[in-house]
C-alpha cells in the first residue's frame, strides 16, 4: 500500500462559523482571521494505492460552479486535483474508487464536472465507483433547510444516473471494517448524518482521515465545535469518544481542512486530548 496527500484547492470560511460559540480571542490563536474574519481552509484529499485499487478520499469543491458561488469562499493558492495527481504519476482516469466522507459541496464537488459541450454534468472520474452510504445519501438528496445550500443536486445526481454510485454496508453508528476497500470506517452523526471517517493502517501507524469531525488542529478540544454542525451536542460526545480512542491507540490525525498542518499526534492533559506534534506527510512517512 502507498498513500499520497492530494491538494485539491484552498479557500476561506468565516472563523466564527468554524468555531461556533468559542470566542474569537481564543480561536484566532491557532486560526488567525483576515480582515473579513475569514480563516484559511484546505480541501486536502488522500489517495490510497492498494493492489489494483486507486482510492481517492474526497474530491474538494471542483470547478463547475459559478464565479459568484466561488466568490463567497475566497479561493486562494494554485492547487488543483489534476496537478496533485500528476505529481505522483496519476491521472483522474486511473482512479478506481472515490470514497466520499459526506456529500457537502466542499467534499464531493470535484466528483462531478461539466460534460464537453457544457449542456449537463457527468462523473469526473469515468472509471471509478463512487462510495457513500444509504442513510447519508437519503439525507443529502432530501436535505433539511439548514444543510440545503451544502447539498447541491448537480454534485449528487450524476453519480447515480451514471450507475457508478455504490453504498457502504452499514448499520447504526460506530466503527466497522470494510474489506472491499481495505480500511476501517468511523461513522459519526454530529456534523451531518452518517459522515464516514476512514481509518488506515500504514507503515506501522494508524492514520485517521478526520474530515469534519476535527477540521483543524484548532478544533481538537472537545467543546470547539463548528457552527455548521447539525447536532453539536452529538459532536461533543463523538469527539470525546474518538479522542479517547485516539490517545489509547496512538492515532495520527490526517486533516482535510487545515491549510497549514497535514497530520498531528495527540497527548493527554488535565483538560483532555491536546495537540502533541504536527507533521507533513513526508516527515511522518
Amino acid at each position: 500500500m502507498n498513500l499520497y496527500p492530494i491538494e485539491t484547492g484552498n479557500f476561506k470560511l468565516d472563523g466564527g462559523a468554524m468555531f461556533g460559540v468559542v470566542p474569537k480571542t481564543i480561536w484566532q490563536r491557532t486560526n488567525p482571521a483576515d480582515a473579513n474574519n475569514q480563516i484559511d481552509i484546505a480541501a486536502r484529499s488522500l489517495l490510497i494505492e492498494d493492489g489494483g485499487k486507486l482510492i481517492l478520499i474526497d474530491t474538494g469543491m471542483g470547478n463547475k460552479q459559478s464565479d459568484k458561488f466561488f466568490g463567497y469562499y475566497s479561493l486562494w493558492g494554485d492547487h488543483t486535483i489534476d496537478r496533485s495527481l500528476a505529481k505522483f504519476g496519476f491521472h483522474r482516469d486511473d482512479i478506481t474508487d472515490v470514497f466520499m466522507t459526506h456529500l457537502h459541496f466542499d467534499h464531493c464537488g470535484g466528483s462531478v464536472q461539466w460534460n464537453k459541450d457544457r449542456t449537463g454534468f457527468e462523473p469526473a472520474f469515468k472509471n471509478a465507483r463512487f462510495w457513500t452510504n444509504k442513510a447519508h445519501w437519503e439525507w443529502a438528496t432530501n436535505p433539511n433547510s439548514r444543510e440545503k445550500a451544502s447539498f447541491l443536486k448537480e454534485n449528487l445526481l450524476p453519480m447515480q444516473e451514471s450507475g457508478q454510485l455504490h453504498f457502504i454496508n452499514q448499520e447504526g453508528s460506530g466503527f466497522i471494517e470494510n474489506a472491499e476497500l481495505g480500511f476501517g470506517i468511523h461513522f459519526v452523526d454530529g456534523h451531518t448524518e452518517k459522515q464516514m471517517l476512514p481509518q488506515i493502517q500504514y507503515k506501522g501507524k494508524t492514520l485517521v482521515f478526520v474530515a469534519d469531525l476535527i477540521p483543524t488542529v484548532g478544533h481538537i478540544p472537545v467543546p470547539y465545535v463548528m457552527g455548521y454542525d447539525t447536532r453539536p451536542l452529538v459532536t461533543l460526545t463523538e469527539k470525546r469518544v474518538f479522542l479517547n480512542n485516539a490517545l489509547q491507540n496512538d492515532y495520527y490525525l490526517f486533516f482535510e481542512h487545515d491549510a497549514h498542518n497535514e497530520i498531528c499526534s495527540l497527548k493527554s492533559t488535565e483538560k483532555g486530548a491536546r495537540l502533541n506534534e504536527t507533521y507533513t506527510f513526508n516527515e511522518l512517512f
Side-chain angles (χ1 to χ4, degrees), residues 104-262:
H104 288 165
F105 67 85
D106 55 320
H107 294 259
C108 76
S111 298
V112 173
Q113 63 188 6
W114 284 104
N115 59 18
K116 287 185 178 180
D117 56 8
R118 295 181 71 86
T119 58
F121 301 105
E122 63 185 12
F125 301 88
K126 66 180 183 180
N127 298 315
R129 299 178 296 176
F130 292 87
W131 294 94
T132 182
N133 63 78
K134 188 174 182 180
H136 184 63
W137 177 260
E138 292 177 352
W139 182 270
T141 52
N142 297 283
N144 59 74
S145 297
R146 184 180 177 89
E147 289 181 276
K148 188 174 183 179
S150 293
F151 292 129
L152 308 179
K153 62 181 181 180
E154 61 267 31
N155 287 339
L156 309 181
L157 299 184
M159 292 185 284
Q160 183 183 53
E161 292 164 354
S162 71
Q164 292 170 248
L165 183 68
H166 295 261
F167 294 137
I168 298 288
N169 291 326
Q170 173 270 335
E171 292 183 7
S173 296
F175 179 80
I176 67 167
E177 290 285 353
N178 185 273
E180 187 165 14
L181 293 175
F183 51 76
I185 302 169
H186 297 268
F187 288 87
V188 287
D189 299 310
H191 178 62
T192 189
E193 179 76 5
K194 297 296 177 288
Q195 180 183 193
M196 301 188 291
L197 313 181
Q199 177 173 308
I200 303 155
Q201 300 302 129
Y202 185 57
K203 295 187 177 181
K205 295 179 173 65
T206 302
L207 189 70
V208 182
F209 189 100
V210 289
D212 280 353
L213 179 66
I214 306 175
T216 74
V217 296
H219 290 85
I220 291 172
V222 169
Y224 291 29
V225 173
M226 290 189 292
Y228 298 113
D229 285 17
T230 59
R231 305 180 183 105
L233 296 181
V234 173
T235 299
L236 287 174
T237 299
E238 290 172 340
K239 281 181 69 177
R240 186 176 294 110
V241 170
F242 175 81
L243 290 168
N244 286 339
N245 287 336
L247 289 168
Q248 292 171 13
N249 297 286
D250 295 323
Y251 294 170
Y252 289 85
L253 311 188
F254 182 96
F255 292 105
E256 183 166 15
H257 282 321
D258 193 318
H260 305 292
N261 300 287
E262 288 185 333

Side-chain angles (χ1 to χ4, degrees), residues 57-90:
I57 300 173
D58 281 353
T59 58
M61 285 190 185
N63 57 15
K64 66 183 175 297
Q65 304 300 331
S66 67
D67 290 342
K68 180 180 179 181
F69 178 92
F70 287 126
Y72 296 130
Y73 301 102
S74 304
L75 305 188
W76 58 279
D78 59 1
H79 293 306
T80 71
I81 196 166
D82 290 304
R83 278 199 289 268
S84 291
L85 288 171
K87 175 183 175 181
F88 299 110
F90 300 113

